[in-house]
């Protein structure tokens, strides 16, 4: 083959390689050769954990959110407090609230065992575990882009500043998501993750005693769970089916039964209110958009190449 006839083949090969990856440097087949059993192992451990406690699916999904919103999807949320690490676990949105760390430890142990060496990052484990949790609870699936590396630092200050608060109004929420490169559609569809799980009394007390855009009977019921003083950690479901990924969350918002102030704020005039109504009536559309927004969120400032490391223990820097 002379160089002229070889050229189209070479150009085609370069194009194929380029388009198989993404602007973020991540691509779904990242572990296919180095450890083809990595993703099936993550899925197995996640499903085992949910078989023991279905609520764990919401917890694993939440870990991924809270990780990505603090300096990118780099597993910084998993680092324990040390003399040099100001752990994000101690930030207000995570303290006595974030959970699932033991499941991540188990996944890491099992994945490293089947791979032989630590080649799968804790950041990728968080991302895949979030997807597998959604699927296990009846939600959509998507191709997770992979190849993230793990941070060597954490920031409790950034976690306090950047993780959305349940007390935020709509303008604050829109700005919070815009700061992460996410738009209003992403805000509404990713908030739909609150179709899973529970919230603590301290996060919705002000809403049920002070807000007017709330169904009176709904507020009255919640007051039996959450008194004005005490019971801060008492739990209420974020929607009527907290272990099923569905559109009941949006149904709640339309009925003024959003548990958190930040949730009910979405059912307002303008684009966010229209999207809430759309998703309430079209589960397929919600599932499709949720998958797209999860991929987009997973692209927030990943560490790739020589940046960061592959941790041997997800709780500690190597």
């Amino acid at each position: 083959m002379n160089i002229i006839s070889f050229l189209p083949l070479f150009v085609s090969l370069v194009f194929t390689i380029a388009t198989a990856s993404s602007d973020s440097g991540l691509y779904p087949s990242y572990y296919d050769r180095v450890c083809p059993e990595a993703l099936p192992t993550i899925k197995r451990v996640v499903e085992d954990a949910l078989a023991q406690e279905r609520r764990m699916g919401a917890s694993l999904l939440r870990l991924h959110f809270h990780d990505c919103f603090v300096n990118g999807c780099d597993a910084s949320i998993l680092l324990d407090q040390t003399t040099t690490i100001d752990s994000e676990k101690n930030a207000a949105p995570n303290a006595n609230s974030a959970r699932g760390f033991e499941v991540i430890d188990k996944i890491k142990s099992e994945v490293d065992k089947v791979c032989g060496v630590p080649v799968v990052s804790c950041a990728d484990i968080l991302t895949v575990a979030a997807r597998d949790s959604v699927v296990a609870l009846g939600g959509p699936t998507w191709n997770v882009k992979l190849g993230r590396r793990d941070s060597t630092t954490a920031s409790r200050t950034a976690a306090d500043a950047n993780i959305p608060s349940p007390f935020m109004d709509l303008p604050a929420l829109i700005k919070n998501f815009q700061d992460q490169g996410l738009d209003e559609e992403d805000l509404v569809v990713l908030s739909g993750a609150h179709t899973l799980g529970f919230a603590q009394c301290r996060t919705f007390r002000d809403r049920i005693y002070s807000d007017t855009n709330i169904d009176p009977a709904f507020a009255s019921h919640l007051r039996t769970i959450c008194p004005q003083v005490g019971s801060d950690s008492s739990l209420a479901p974020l929607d009527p089916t907290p272990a099923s990924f569905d559109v009941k969350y949006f149904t709640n918002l339309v009925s003024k039964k959003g548990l958190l102030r930040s949730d009910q704020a979405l059912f307002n005039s303008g684009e966010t209110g229209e999207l809430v109504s759309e998703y309430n009536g079209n589960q397929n559309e919600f599932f499709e958009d949720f998958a797209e927004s999860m991929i987009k969120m997973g692209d927030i400032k990943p560490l790739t190449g020589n940046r960061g490391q592959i941790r041997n223990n997800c709780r500690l820097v190597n």
Side-chain angles (χ1 to χ4, degrees):
M1 182 182 290
N2 62 38
I3 193 165
I4 299 300
S5 59
F6 179 75
L7 186 59
L9 178 62
F10 175 76
V11 171
S12 175
L13 179 61
V14 170
F15 178 78
T16 301
I17 293 172
T19 54
S21 62
S22 68
D23 292 341
S24 62
L26 309 174
Y27 48 97
S29 60
Y30 187 86
Y31 296 111
D32 283 5
R33 289 191 177 182
V34 294
C35 188
E37 288 303 307
L39 268 61
T41 301
I42 296 172
K43 181 174 184 286
R44 172 176 58 79
V45 179
V46 167
E47 289 177 346
D48 287 349
L50 268 62
Q52 297 177 45
E53 182 195 16
R54 287 176 67 82
R55 180 187 168 203
M56 185 55 67
S59 300
L60 294 173
L61 180 57
R62 186 169 181 254
L63 280 182
H64 178 47
F65 272 77
H66 284 207
D67 181 43
C68 291
F69 269 68
V70 184
N71 299 320
C73 309
D74 60 4
S76 58
I77 193 173
L78 301 179
L79 290 172
D80 285 344
Q81 185 79 22
T82 68
T83 54
T84 57
I85 298 292
D86 192 11
S87 178
E88 294 167 21
K89 295 178 182 180
N90 297 326
N94 295 326
N96 302 311
S97 174
R99 59 196 297 273
F101 299 108
E102 294 79 9
V103 177
I104 299 300
D105 292 340
K106 175 70 170 174
I107 294 172
K108 176 65 171 170
S109 173
E110 293 295 307
V111 167
D112 285 356
K113 190 183 302 180
V114 298
C115 296
V117 291
V119 294
V120 180
S121 69
C122 302
D124 277 346
I125 287 173
L126 279 174
T127 310
V128 176
R131 188 272 311 274
D132 290 348
S133 294
V134 169
V135 173
L137 296 175
T141 190
W142 58 93
N143 289 325
V144 175
K145 293 194 284 187
L146 301 163
R148 299 166 190 80
R149 289 167 65 85
D150 301 324
S151 71
T152 56
T153 60
S155 176
R156 180 171 61 170
T157 301
D160 280 325
N162 297 340
I163 295 173
S165 161
F167 312 109
M168 282 182 171
D169 61 14
L170 184 58
L173 287 166
I174 290 172
K175 183 182 186 307
N176 179 274
F177 273 65
Q178 284 177 340
D179 289 345
Q180 302 296 339
L182 302 171
D183 58 26
E184 289 186 38
E185 180 176 327
D186 297 315
L187 164 61
V188 176
V189 74
L190 291 174
S191 295
H194 283 177
T195 186
L196 299 176
F198 295 77
Q200 295 184 9
C201 165
R202 62 185 175 88
T203 65
F204 60 84
R205 177 182 283 119
D206 285 351
R207 171 156 167 71
I208 64 174
Y209 287 100
S210 303
D211 289 5
T212 56
N213 62 338
I214 185 168
D215 178 83
F218 179 65
S220 179
H221 167 67
L222 290 170
R223 289 171 190 153
T224 67
I225 299 170
C226 181
Q228 286 185 294
V229 178
S231 300
D232 284 3
S233 60
S234 293
L235 298 174
L238 284 158
D239 86 350
T241 54
S244 295
F245 199 94
D246 52 32
V247 295
K248 298 288 179 59
Y249 166 81
F250 297 108
T251 304
N252 264 15
L253 300 190
V254 172
S255 304
K256 295 186 178 181
K257 295 180 181 178
L259 182 63
L260 305 178
R261 182 173 288 165
S262 57
D263 288 332
Q264 194 60 52
L266 300 176
F267 191 57
N268 210 323
S269 58
E271 182 180 357
T272 63
E274 292 172 5
L275 285 168
V276 167
S277 295
E278 281 184 32
Y279 294 143
N280 179 45
N282 192 333
Q283 180 168 284
N284 289 337
E285 182 181 4
F286 168 52
F287 278 19
E288 181 179 333
D289 290 351
F290 186 83
E292 291 178 2
S293 288
M294 285 295 289
I295 293 170
K296 188 174 176 181
M297 185 179 74
D299 278 345
I300 298 175
K301 294 185 284 188
L303 299 174
T304 57
N306 294 321
R307 297 184 300 153
Q309 61 182 213
I310 306 298
R311 289 187 211 138
N312 298 321
N313 180 335
C314 288
R315 296 172 179 263
L316 301 170
V317 174
N318 294 347

